[in-house]
Amino acid sequence: MEHVLLDGDTLTLDEVLAVAHARARAEIAPEARDRVRRARALVEARLEDGEAHYGINTGFGTLAEVRIDRADLERLQRNLVLSHAAGVGAPLPLEEARALVLLRANVLAKGVSGIREETLDLLVALLERGVVPVVPERGSVGASGDLAPLAHLALVLIGEGEAFLAPPGAAPERLPSREALRRAGLAPVILQPKEGLALVNGTQAMAAVGTLALLRAERLADMADLAGAMTLEGLLGSQRPFAAEIQAARGQLGQVVSAARLRALLEGSEINASHQGPGCHKVQDPYSLRCMPQVHGATRDGLSFCRQVLGREVNAATDNPLVFPDTGEIVSGGNFHGQPVALALDVLGIAASHLAAISERRVEQLVNPSLSGLPPFLAPRHGLNSGFMIAQVTSAALVSENKVLCHPASVDSIPSSAGREDHVSMGMTAALKARQIVENVRTCLAIELLVAAQAIDLRAPLRPAAPVAEAHRRIRAVVPRLEEDRELHRDIEAVCRLVDGGALAV
């Protein structure tokens, strides 16, 4: 199994994915341990200087001016975790919760949070032993980061709340955290001064959900090119708009990449060769075919921006206050504010949504006989059979849902904490919306792949280009050609599984 070293600086998005899906083990880098020890020593030194230090011997938020007695400091940190664990809704899926644990551990390994080494070790041990915190997905406004989600994570470390016990290869079991820890051979910790605050401040929930959504969207951008190529073959479309010189004349990077992929997917097509020359009655294809490089490419550019932001954020110190052993300072700031991530995740949702929007238009081209020249809804004995009529309607429904979801969360703000947190990012809302948009995109592309496969069948004996033919073969291995009406949801689900599993990556 791959090993991922956590040092707070070098974690990659692909490593996040590997640990999230339990394909890699996380370990703390030796140099990170030294930084963690030094930062902790500074926190403990400040406990002896008689001064007020936010979150160490004071209350939190608007209660920052309230000084806490030394005898109550452990209780202060415990109370912070308990009171902030106010999340609601469904738990994060296991892979997102594991990504959350990983990102929190990586940030703490940066050595500017003041946490103890043993607390950090327990966090990493959760990943190793298959203890996954139950983290409700709603309740964060992205102000001091994701307070509620991170508090639910911290609950597990103190033996409170709930966790899934999910060792590799076993079905997850939802248990009280103390029992899950016991079965995994772990023991809870008693939080010391600053540790509760170090655990609940930060943007790791929005970053975890957003990172997995981004990586999925990047794979779907490739799938959109494949789906579009299959549809182009089924509709006797032209490859000429994908010529390299057209893309170079504009110079948009994502467009160049998508056009190159389309050319490679369509090279050597018998179907395309069959309608070349003066006998072809078409002058131009509709935009959903002709402008695939421009639309798919713009999505790629939007996803690239999001990748840059998240690539920085997974290695960012986002709690408060930050502890700097080299200067001896403990400084309050605002790195926990989720605005950079919220904005990037809104871009992710908007960018990804266009893959579904243009895909649905291509499906309409396929099922509409006045546009395709094929049987209505690609149905055998149409009239008796409805074919793919409602598959297009399903795609349209998801596209319209995405239009609602694409309203940016990051333009919203609502004051909290008695006005102290008077501008918030809504970053977790942006992450959850982006996740649902990407899910809808996956299904829309699966519908297009399913319908385009039928159109290619109707072009036989002419064969499509080799990559398209291979994708068609893999689809037909799980979904037979439609000869009479059947439950289409089963076919859609089967192609969705192919997309999710990477089986159509040709």
Side-chain angles (χ1 to χ4, degrees), residues 435-506:
R435 178 222 279 166
Q436 185 59 57
I437 290 167
V438 171
E439 175 79 6
N440 291 346
V441 170
R442 181 281 309 261
T443 305
C444 288
L445 291 175
I447 289 171
E448 182 182 2
L449 289 161
L450 178 66
V451 179
Q454 183 83 357
I456 288 172
D457 287 332
L458 295 173
R459 298 298 181 188
L462 294 173
R463 287 181 53 80
V468 171
E470 178 59 20
H472 178 271
R473 184 192 67 78
R474 295 179 189 182
I475 292 169
R476 284 289 171 258
V478 297
V479 178
R481 174 175 170 164
L482 188 71
E483 300 293 352
E484 61 180 23
D485 283 347
R486 58 179 182 248
E487 297 176 53
L488 283 182
H489 70 94
R490 300 184 190 279
D491 294 355
I492 295 169
E493 290 164 4
V495 180
C496 282
R497 288 193 293 272
L498 291 178
V499 172
D500 289 341
L504 295 179
V506 296

Side-chain angles (χ1 to χ4, degrees), residues 373-427:
L374 294 168
F377 308 109
L378 309 186
R381 298 182 65 191
H382 49 274
L384 176 63
N385 292 295
S386 295
F388 293 96
M389 178 190 296
I390 305 304
Q392 182 270 327
V393 174
T394 298
S395 184
L398 296 178
V399 166
S400 289
E401 180 181 338
N402 281 354
K403 292 173 185 176
V404 175
L405 292 172
C406 278
H407 177 82
S410 61
V411 300
D412 189 20
S413 181
I414 187 167
S416 59
S417 192
R420 180 66 62 95
E421 298 169 2
D422 58 347
H423 183 278
V424 304
S425 72
M426 307 307 296

Side-chain angles (χ1 to χ4, degrees), residues 18 28 46 50 58 71-72 78 132 136 149 151 167 173 230 249 297 301 322 332 340 345 395 402 415 428 435 495:
I28 305 300
R46 287 293 179 266
T58 74
D72 291 328
R78 178 180 173 83
V132 183
E173 184 179 0
M230 290 186 70
D301 291 336
L322 294 178
S332 288
L345 294 180
S395 184
N402 281 354
M428 190 60 172
R435 178 222 279 166
V495 180

Side-chain angles (χ1 to χ4, degrees), residues 231-239 272 275-276 282 285 289:
T231 296
L232 189 89
E233 294 275 61
L235 291 172
L236 305 182
S238 173
Q239 301 179 23
N272 182 261
H275 57 90
Q276 297 300 310
K282 286 188 177 182
D285 289 327
L289 299 180

